[in-house]
Amino acid sequence: MSASVRGDDTAQRLFAGEGELRARCRAFDWTTTVLGSVEEWPPSLRTTASTVVAMGFPAILLWGPQFVQIYNDAYKPFLGSKHPAALGSSSRECWSEIWPLVEPVLHRVQTGETVTLGDQYYPLLRQGPAVPHDDVYITLSYVPVRDEGGGVSGILITGFDTTSQVEAHGLEKKRQALEVDTSRAELRAASVLERMADAHATLDSEFRFLTVNPAALRAVDKTLEEMVGRTHWEVFPASLDMEIAPAYRRIVAEGVVAHFKQHYVGDGYDVHLDLDAYPTDEGGVAIFWRDVSEHVRTEAALAASEALFRTVQDVSPHGVVLMHPMREDDRPDGGIVDFRLTYANPAAGRLGGREPTDMVGRGLVEMFPATRQYGLFEGYQRVAETGEVFETDLMYQADGLDYGLGITAVRVGDDVALTTADITARLRAETESRELFKALDLERTRLAEVFRQSPSFFAVLRGPDHVFELANDAYYQLIGRREIIGKPAFEALPELRGKGFEGRLHHVLATGEPFVGRELPITVARTWGALPEERFVDVTYLPFIERDGTRGGVIFHGADVTARVRARLEIERLLAESEKARADAEAARAEAEAANRTKSEFLATISHEYRTPLNAIGGYAELIEIGVHGPVTPEQRTALDRIQRSQRHLLGLINGVLNYAKVDAGAVLYNSERVLLDEAVATCEALSAPQARAKRLSLRFTGCDPRLAARADREKVQQVVLNLLSNAIKFTAPGGSVDVQCVRVGDSQVAVHVSDTGLGIAAEQMERVFQPFVQIDAGLTRTQEGTGLGLAISRDLARGMNGDLKVESVEGQGSTFTITLLRWSD
Ligand code: ADP
């Protein structure tokens, strides 16, 4: 069941009974008034209302701050044509013609006073606004009606029309007074007409001007003589064709009043006139008129400006809303509960998602409950109560996007005017720029961090005194963590004075040219109070430019390169040292070589000198042996044999030394020729065969490709092979064998292998056998003769022919010596 139906029930009961007003009260839709549904009426209102409609005397109840009217059948005559619209309407509007007389009384009653007035005069417009008022006298009583809270919510008025009594009393008196006053009044009227601002003229029944007041003469720019006695049509020929001609005729003919507006346009004039024309007692016309051109033009301008205002509002991107405060219980002192929209432009409609026409007449909060969310409602309330301007920027989200609304509310009269501007773009730009600033800040922080932690040092010196403004960790490290910020450079670091820094700083600041220095020595104290020590720095002095374009100071940037410089100096020192060592070694080597040469030369010389006497010893021993000097005893023969063996050994030794010395001294010349290996080896075999036979060794020559040839010196090849064969025979026990083999090695080499089944050589001795004077079995147990030079010479010779000599051996099983040589290729 809806509230209104319940209300109906209540109304049916409350206004039950006979009579028109009761019926009307029952049928009336009270929800259209501020009183609301009857169901919701307070008991005080219900009781008083039902009493009023039941009363036989004229009575009316005014309820609430708007004085909503409920009256009874007896009251109707006071209302005249205002009934029945007056029911439920505001008394202020209903009785606008006498409101100034009524309102002060109502205010008195609202304070709790009962007011009674006798024969009170009211000019009532009972037949509509077009008909002159009725002079009505009423005796009435205003009674305050208290509500449940004890306050005065209603005013009950009862009254009697006393007009007839008043008139009966006063009529005669008035008539006499009037008679007395008539002539005086006529005079006064004439003078009033003379002085009045409105133009006034009277015409007789023939429309001839009888009187014209000065305002009229001024208005039409004519003299009295030009007008009086002439007809309207003579004076104003154009007026014959105008609306006034038939109007005047009707006034004269029918005695009616006419009121009309006339627009005169003619030579040099363009006027709007407001005319009132009355029939005169003489059967003519009295005309009053005023120039309302100004007013018309102002109105036109106003209309135009209002049209302009509307147009502007219609196309404005800004929302405009006018709204009227809705107060609690409709009381003027009630708190504001909502705002009723009285105007909304299309932009406001778009913002609210409705047609402006759907918004007007409705409550703001009712339509947009969110108004309460952002403190907006409180803001509007303050505007309405205090008149202060309320401005706010509102951010909200819709469909996941940010929007911004700039709202301004101002009070206009009792109303509040609201304008909204879409500031989404601005807010987004602001957000963006905030983000940018944040990013920039982050970047700056990062940069500052990089700068702070950079291994390069960095300091900013401002102004001509080079005051430290900024310095990073590395710089602090360099200067021993002294407090420098805010101090002039040379005060903070006095040890830098007089080292050329001042000059450089001044120069950079004065000229703007940067300075770059490499490995500059500086002397700074590295810890507070410590003795200054020498450091090396790479530095750059850069001028920095202020925003106004001037040079603000110097950025001092660089790196402590002490370690690098010291390392470099150390390297240079070491290099110098090693260079000297190399030179020394070179000199020593040259010296040694020279000594070696001298030694070899010496050896060659003495060997040669030894050979001659040794040959003589051998020769003479042989002569003795063959008996040239007489018979030789067996004992002598034994001694001679020993002499000869020693002589041969010594001679061999000396020959070996001589050979080695020659080879070692580089005094050997090599012939590079085609050496057929088969031939060369066969010769050697032939020479060694007797030796092998003597030791009962089998000497085998496998024979080789007769075309196999070496690029070498034949004699030297044979010398080497002979030496190898001699060793093999020497170090192989009787019954063993010695093999000789020639082979081709790859494309470019040939080799001769000399293998035996003899003693062999221990692995650790294998390289040593090529050293001069090395004999493995040297010592007291030595069984074989030799010099220890054979292999040394042989290898030198092989190498001298771009070949080599190597050995492979297993101790106790035998050895294989291999000489490699370059192959002769045809
Ligand atoms: P020499 O034969 O005059 O002593 P070498 O330089 O020819 O001097 O030889 C050096 C040493 O190498 C020899 O004393 C010997 O001990 C060892 N040697 C050389 N050839 C052989 C071989 N075929 N078998 C075993 N040992 C050898």
Side-chain angles (χ1 to χ4, degrees):
M1 228 201 227
S2 78
S4 69
V5 175
R6 272 206 313 276
D8 280 347
D9 281 354
T10 314
Q12 298 299 328
R13 282 198 306 276
L14 198 62
F15 300 114
E18 298 277 308
E20 179 192 348
L21 261 300
R22 273 184 171 143
R24 284 192 184 278
C25 284
R26 287 197 297 272
F28 195 77
D29 181 4
W30 292 101
T31 59
T32 60
T33 72
V34 292
L35 300 183
S37 143
V38 175
E39 168 80 357
E40 290 158 18
W41 287 7
S44 49
L45 171 56
R46 288 198 214 168
T47 312
T48 327
S50 63
T51 309
V52 165
V53 291
M55 275 167 74
F57 298 128
I60 184 166
L61 173 66
L62 313 182
W63 196 267
Q66 308 211 331
F67 306 111
V68 177
Q69 305 184 126
I70 301 169
Y71 52 88
N72 59 13
D73 290 337
Y75 189 80
K76 282 194 305 192
F78 291 124
L79 288 161
S81 62
K82 289 175 184 168
H83 171 76
L87 183 65
S89 75
S90 158
S91 190
R92 189 185 283 118
E93 280 147 33
C94 179
W95 294 112
S96 57
E97 76 267 32
I98 56 162
W99 195 248
L101 298 173
V102 178
E103 197 179 23
V105 181
L106 295 184
H107 284 322
R108 279 168 64 194
V109 182
Q110 276 179 324
T111 65
E113 192 186 336
T114 298
V115 179
T116 307
L117 302 168
D119 295 336
Q120 189 67 27
Y121 168 72
Y122 295 108
L124 301 183
L125 286 167
R126 289 195 284 200
Q127 290 146 68
V131 180
H133 61 253
D134 293 338
D135 292 326
V136 183
Y137 292 86
I138 312 173
T139 291
L140 11 64
S141 172
Y142 294 78
V143 181
V145 180
R146 294 192 182 270
D147 57 25
E148 285 62 29
V152 177
S153 276
I155 296 168
L156 174 63
I157 308 164
T158 51
F160 300 98
D161 188 336
T162 55
T163 311
S164 46
Q165 291 96 308
V166 170
E167 281 179 350
H169 268 107
L171 211 55
E172 184 52 28
K173 242 168 142 187
K174 267 187 189 160
R175 199 189 54 77
Q176 287 166 5
L178 268 174
E179 260 178 18
V180 175
D181 285 348
T182 300
S183 53
R184 210 188 296 162
E186 272 174 359
L187 274 173
R188 202 162 54 229
S191 87
V192 166
L193 287 173
E194 282 294 297
R195 283 184 279 114
M196 71 187 279
D198 277 4
H200 171 68
T202 48
L203 307 174
D204 65 12
S205 56
E206 303 295 314
F207 307 110
R208 266 189 295 267
F209 282 102
L210 292 174
T211 63
V212 184
N213 78 344
L217 291 174
R218 274 196 305 280
V220 299
D221 195 22
K222 297 205 183 294
T223 60
L224 209 54
E225 291 72 39
E226 286 174 302
M227 293 181 74
V228 174
R230 304 210 174 137
T231 66
H232 194 282
W233 328 122
E234 282 167 340
V235 179
F236 306 112
S239 65
L240 253 180
D241 302 327
M242 288 180 166
E243 192 193 342
I244 51 171
Y248 287 175
R249 293 207 173 90
R250 242 185 52 227
I251 292 166
V252 170
E254 299 168 24
V256 295
V257 174
H259 176 81
F260 49 92
K261 295 178 190 304
Q262 196 71 50
H263 185 194
Y264 290 99
V265 187
D267 213 7
Y269 62 91
D270 177 359
V271 285
H272 291 270
L273 302 180
D274 233 4
L275 288 109
D276 295 307
Y278 305 92
T280 60
D281 295 343
E282 290 78 32
V285 181
I287 324 162
F288 295 84
W289 78 94
R290 55 220 140 253
D291 186 341
V292 292
S293 307
E294 203 56 37
H295 179 72
V296 167
R297 276 192 270 279
T298 309
E299 275 207 331
L302 258 177
S305 87
E306 185 168 322
L308 183 68
F309 168 78
R310 295 276 168 198
T311 311
V312 168
Q313 295 312 334
D314 281 355
V315 300
S316 168
H318 301 303
V320 178
V321 166
L322 294 178
M323 52 194 199
H324 186 75
M326 296 164 76
R327 292 178 183 278
E328 208 176 351
D329 296 338
D330 250 334
R331 292 209 315 272
D333 57 345
I336 296 172
V337 292
D338 199 350
F339 290 91
R340 198 177 64 248
L341 267 63
T342 55
Y343 170 77
N345 75 342
R350 283 195 295 279
L351 190 66
R354 292 154 199 262
E355 283 298 313
T357 46
D358 292 342
M359 295 164 73
V360 169
R362 297 187 56 189
L364 181 72
V365 178
E366 173 209 330
M367 278 187 290
F368 308 109
T371 308
R372 287 203 183 272
Q373 268 173 29
Y374 304 102
L376 297 178
F377 183 70
E378 287 74 17
Y380 303 156
Q381 273 179 320
R382 262 201 315 285
V383 173
E385 304 288 13
T386 67
E388 73 186 48
V389 175
F390 173 71
E391 277 180 300
T392 188
D393 285 350
L394 188 70
M395 283 184 77
Y396 63 96
Q397 285 207 323
D399 308 329
L401 288 174
D402 286 325
Y403 289 91
L405 203 60
I407 299 178
T408 309
V410 293
R411 188 163 73 175
V412 180
D414 285 343
D415 293 352
V416 174
L418 207 65
T419 61
T420 64
D422 184 354
I423 54 164
T424 304
R426 197 194 83 203
L427 283 180
R428 285 185 190 163
E430 274 174 13
T431 311
E432 203 168 297
S433 87
R434 249 199 315 279
E435 307 263 295
L436 272 176
F437 270 113
K438 229 189 277 169
L440 202 68
D441 208 41
L442 195 69
E443 197 69 11
R444 203 177 287 150
T445 315
R446 271 196 212 125
L447 216 61
E449 194 56 15
V450 166
F451 152 76
R452 200 178 63 71
Q453 296 188 348
S454 162
S456 310
F457 54 78
F458 196 102
V460 174
L461 303 161
R462 184 176 284 280
D465 292 333
H466 315 299
V467 175
F468 276 108
E469 190 174 85
L470 205 67
N472 71 347
D473 284 359
Y475 191 77
Y476 276 112
Q477 228 161 47
L478 179 74
I479 54 131
R481 310 221 158 268
R482 278 172 284 173
E483 205 38 71
I484 52 170
I485 299 299
K487 293 184 189 166
F490 297 100
E491 201 175 288
L493 307 173
E495 70 267 33
L496 292 184
R497 272 211 185 99
K499 304 274 167 59
F501 288 98
E502 290 111 315
R504 268 176 233 146
L505 279 173
H506 286 315
H507 183 78
V508 172
L509 199 57
T511 63
E513 288 167 22
F515 168 82
V516 178
R518 293 261 168 255
E519 297 181 0
L520 299 181
I522 58 164
T523 311
V524 283
R526 299 260 287 152
T527 50
W528 178 231
L531 282 177
E533 63 176 279
E534 182 168 70
R535 306 293 297 176
F536 294 92
V537 286
D538 278 356
V539 292
T540 312
Y541 296 68
L542 285 171
F544 67 84
I545 308 297
E546 298 284 10
R547 222 177 283 177
D548 64 4
T550 59
R551 275 190 287 281
V554 175
I555 296 169
F556 179 64
H557 170 239
D560 185 341
V561 293
T562 309
R564 189 181 82 198
V565 170
R566 289 199 180 140
R568 192 168 46 71
L569 291 177
E570 181 63 12
I571 286 167
E572 279 169 10
R573 192 183 63 75
L574 288 173
L575 270 177
E577 263 176 25
S578 80
E579 178 59 26
K580 187 173 166 296
R582 203 189 57 75
D584 287 354
E586 182 63 23
R589 201 180 60 79
E591 207 172 287
E593 276 177 358
N596 204 31
R597 254 194 318 278
T598 314
K599 180 198 76 187
S600 296
E601 280 163 14
F602 166 74
L603 281 176
T605 311
I606 61 160
S607 300
H608 186 74
E609 294 302 317
Y610 279 168
R611 259 197 315 190
T612 316
L614 271 178
N615 282 329
I617 291 169
Y620 285 107
E622 209 172 330
L623 288 176
I624 293 169
E625 194 193 13
I626 60 174
V628 174
H629 302 297
V632 183
T633 65
E635 288 79 18
Q636 286 172 327
R637 192 167 295 280
T638 307
L640 273 175
D641 190 40
R642 285 198 180 136
I643 288 167
Q644 281 177 310
R645 249 194 293 147
S646 293
Q647 182 266 345
R648 275 199 303 275
H649 178 64
L650 198 56
L651 189 63
L653 200 63
I654 283 166
N655 278 338
V657 171
L658 187 61
N659 262 333
Y660 179 73
K662 266 196 201 160
V663 174
D664 202 41
V668 178
L669 290 174
Y670 297 91
N671 288 322
S672 184
E673 56 191 325
R674 183 164 176 263
V675 181
L676 283 170
L677 290 180
D678 198 41
E679 272 179 31
V681 171
T683 309
C684 296
E685 200 195 6
L687 286 171
S688 305
Q691 231 183 317
R693 254 195 315 277
K695 266 196 98 176
R696 283 181 287 112
L697 297 174
S698 77
L699 178 61
R700 287 183 302 214
F701 175 43
T702 345
C704 67
D705 185 343
R707 284 164 306 168
L708 196 60
R711 179 180 295 278
D713 184 317
R714 185 194 309 274
E715 230 173 79
K716 307 223 164 48
V717 172
Q718 286 179 337
Q719 186 183 338
V720 173
V721 173
L722 267 178
N723 185 39
L724 295 178
L725 278 170
S726 150
N727 276 350
I729 292 162
K730 198 158 43 171
F731 296 107
T732 304
S737 62
V738 173
D739 287 275
V740 182
Q741 214 184 350
C742 323
V743 292
R744 176 172 161 170
V745 182
D747 231 19
S748 54
Q749 286 183 313
V750 290
V752 179
H753 301 292
V754 178
S755 312
D756 63 59
T757 56
L759 292 174
I761 304 164
E764 67 275 8
Q765 301 289 353
M766 234 134 28
E767 187 46 36
R768 284 192 67 229
V769 296
F770 295 103
Q771 306 281 319
F773 305 109
V774 169
Q775 293 172 310
I776 291 170
D777 199 16
L780 295 174
T781 58
R782 184 168 179 79
T783 52
Q784 302 296 329
E785 289 184 352
T787 58
L789 283 169
L791 286 177
I793 292 168
S794 295
R795 192 169 71 172
D796 278 356
L797 289 175
R799 287 182 176 173
M801 292 181 288
N802 296 314
D804 206 352
L805 178 62
K806 287 186 172 148
V807 64
E808 280 173 49
S809 176
V810 178
E811 200 176 11
Q813 290 191 15
S815 316
T816 299
F817 284 83
T818 301
I819 173 173
T820 49
L821 295 165
L822 290 180
R823 190 173 81 89
W824 181 279
S825 56
D826 302 292

